Amino acid sequence: MSARAGIVVTGTEVLSGRVQDRNGPWLADRLLELGIELGHITICGDRPADIEAQLRFLAAQGVDLIITSGGLGPTADDMTVEVVARFCGRELLLDVELENRIANILKSLMARNPGFDPGNFDSIRVANRKQAMIPAGAQVLDPVGTAPGVVVPGKPAVMVLPGPPRELQPMWRKAIQTPAAQEAIAGRTIYQQQTVRMFGLPESALADTLRGAEGAIDGFDALEITTCLRRGEIEMVTRYEPDATDVYARLTEVLRDRHGEQIYSEDGSQVDDQVAELLTGRRIATAESCTAGLLAARLTDRAGSSAYVMGGVVSYSNEAKAAVLGVDPALIQAHGAVSEPVANAMAIGALQRFGADTAVAITGVAGPGGGTPEKPVGTVCFAVLIDDGRTAIRTLRLPGNRSDIRERSTTVAMHLLRRTLSSERRP
């Protein structure tokens, strides 16, 4: 069996749901990449007894490494390091050099405040001294913010990381390379991991294909396959030891044969990455009704998107469609705001208003009200236009609640855009 790990996410705000846990899933992915089996992710509040109970539970499961996140600040409820020291049977000691480093960081941050009084800094330094209290024999991880992390050797080893993801994620790279962490995970199995992404394929169809492959491919049980349906896309992650590379190659041949039209990525890249690459050197504009700017937000989520995103229009009302995008009111009267002719006219308007060469338009009924027997909730019309004549116009009935329909609409639009940009240019 490979080396095993457990994760303890601390924080009453996470336990209560006021703050979403982003650290547990992120750390789980990093462990998977390293071939470390993840046994448990637990979430507990800031009470020391609850944190210690989670540590003891994971130790009883025989894990080799425990990772904690949160509770490293200077306030009274930040108790993780103290609890870990007690759990590991180690004394807490003041690291004077670390205290000075934290003080310098604080002084630099506070100097940006025009009202900062250097004469009051000593009291602030004392308040933050607890962050420099380190379990004896632990390795210190330099702060990314003001909170240092620590790795405590032992069986299990305990890695203590800060709660804010912007601090935890950079610190992880150094933490996992420490001697204590490397010793703890020395028994890990080295795996290959591949991700295939599909769109427009029911999960049941993929499940049927995998059942057939299991009976047809020798050594299929060497592949560890997980599938996830997200935003209308299927993500299939396969993990295997290097000697099963040929088995995975045979599986990909089966997938291409059965679902070649639906596979859009075999290297793990997402549709957003592919669209960003296809838009290099182009100028795109959006016209959105029911999604109210969600597509434009998604297109601009990638760094460097200002090179190709010209702008977007949220034309929620019929009046806005006419006044801002130039949609003929008679067209809306004849076909309704949720119709392919109106979606097409919105895309034409976006092309013209922004001087773009590519446009995407979305208009639909996101619900929960507003549906009719002819156009029930979930009816969404899409139009993709490119100035060289390539077009894609579709009407779909999307499932789910209002949020689901709006989010799925952006995914459909991204895939229509990807397919249209990838198709051959028309004369």
Side-chain angles (χ1 to χ4, degrees):
M1 180 179 292
S2 181
R4 299 179 72 240
I7 298 170
V8 181
V9 178
T10 71
T12 302
E13 70 281 2
V14 183
L15 182 65
S16 66
R18 294 198 307 274
V19 174
Q20 182 181 3
D21 172 31
R22 292 168 54 196
N23 291 333
W26 189 87
L27 289 167
D29 281 344
R30 304 293 79 72
L31 292 169
L32 186 65
E33 290 169 356
L34 291 171
I36 302 167
E37 301 288 347
L38 176 60
H40 302 270
I41 298 178
T42 69
I43 300 176
C44 67
D46 293 311
R47 292 179 65 247
D50 293 337
I51 298 172
E52 186 166 353
Q54 303 309 307
L55 296 172
R56 296 197 178 282
F57 165 74
L58 291 175
Q61 307 310 303
V63 300
D64 304 287
L65 175 66
I66 298 174
I67 305 168
T68 73
S69 75
L72 303 189
T75 59
D77 62 342
D78 292 312
M79 302 288 290
T80 304
V81 172
E82 181 180 332
V83 174
V84 167
R86 184 166 61 246
F87 168 74
C88 296
R90 293 173 182 259
E91 184 183 1
L92 272 178
L93 303 174
L94 177 64
D95 186 323
V96 177
E97 181 183 348
L98 179 60
E99 182 187 16
N100 290 334
R101 285 209 302 275
I102 294 172
N104 289 333
I105 293 170
L106 286 169
K107 191 174 293 184
S108 175
L109 291 173
M110 298 183 71
R112 302 174 187 174
N113 185 347
F116 171 55
D117 181 2
N120 295 330
F121 184 71
D122 284 346
S123 61
I124 296 171
R125 178 182 178 128
V126 170
N128 283 268
R129 180 165 292 158
K130 67 175 291 189
Q131 291 181 296
M133 300 297 292
I134 303 300
Q139 179 159 354
V140 177
L141 303 168
D142 289 338
V144 176
T146 63
V150 297
V151 181
V152 185
K155 179 61 176 173
V158 182
M159 181 186 297
V160 183
L161 301 176
R166 67 180 182 278
E167 297 180 22
L168 177 145
Q169 293 178 14
M171 191 178 287
W172 162 259
R173 292 189 288 272
K174 294 181 179 178
I176 199 63
Q177 294 300 324
T178 59
Q182 287 294 303
E183 182 178 351
I185 65 173
R188 73 186 188 278
T189 302
I190 304 300
Y191 291 102
Q192 301 287 338
Q193 182 172 301
Q194 303 291 341
T195 301
V196 175
R197 301 185 191 277
M198 291 157 268
F199 178 71
L201 179 70
E203 271 191 299
S204 57
L206 177 59
D208 182 63
T209 297
L210 293 176
R211 281 193 296 269
E214 185 175 8
I217 299 175
D218 290 337
F220 185 87
D221 57 358
L223 306 178
E224 180 183 321
I225 300 172
T226 57
T227 62
C228 177
L229 179 64
R230 184 184 299 119
R231 295 200 296 194
E233 300 174 325
I234 295 179
E235 176 187 87
M236 189 186 89
V237 178
T238 306
R239 194 168 65 144
Y240 52 90
E241 294 184 37
D243 59 4
T245 299
D246 289 344
V247 180
Y248 179 73
R250 291 196 291 275
L251 173 61
T252 57
E253 289 175 4
V254 172
L255 291 173
R256 291 186 199 117
D257 182 58
R258 292 285 301 274
H259 308 299
E261 289 295 317
Q262 290 80 35
I263 294 173
Y264 73 89
S265 171
E266 292 187 23
D267 60 2
S269 62
Q270 299 179 343
V271 65
D272 303 60
D273 303 315
Q274 296 179 1
V275 166
E277 185 174 347
L278 288 166
L279 286 171
T280 301
R282 305 196 68 85
R283 303 182 309 280
I284 188 170
T286 61
E288 301 179 64
S289 184
C290 64
T291 48
L294 293 176
L295 178 62
R298 190 163 169 177
L299 284 168
T300 55
D301 195 47
R302 293 292 189 274
S305 57
S306 59
Y308 50 82
V309 177
M310 298 297 100
V313 171
V314 175
S315 53
Y316 221 67
S317 69
N318 291 342
E319 292 77 11
K321 291 179 177 67
V324 182
L325 293 171
V327 178
D328 186 347
L331 199 65
I332 299 175
Q333 182 69 29
H335 301 280
V338 179
S339 64
E340 291 184 1
V342 169
N344 186 61
M346 289 169 62
I348 292 171
L351 276 175
Q352 295 172 346
R353 173 161 286 273
F354 290 99
D357 56 41
T358 306
V360 185
I362 305 174
T363 178
V365 186
T372 66
E374 295 78 20
K375 297 176 184 178
V377 170
T379 302
V380 185
C381 301
F382 304 86
V384 175
L385 301 183
I386 301 177
D387 64 357
D388 62 9
R390 286 176 287 175
T391 64
I393 300 176
R394 300 283 189 279
T395 299
L396 296 177
R397 172 83 184 278
L398 301 177
N401 59 27
R402 181 179 179 85
S403 178
D404 294 333
I405 291 166
R406 283 155 54 96
E407 187 175 36
R408 285 175 182 266
S409 293
T410 68
T411 298
V412 172
M414 292 294 279
H415 280 280
L416 282 175
L417 182 57
R418 175 187 61 83
R419 289 175 179 173
T420 308
L421 288 169
S422 301
S423 64
E424 292 185 5
R425 295 176 183 270
R426 293 184 180 179

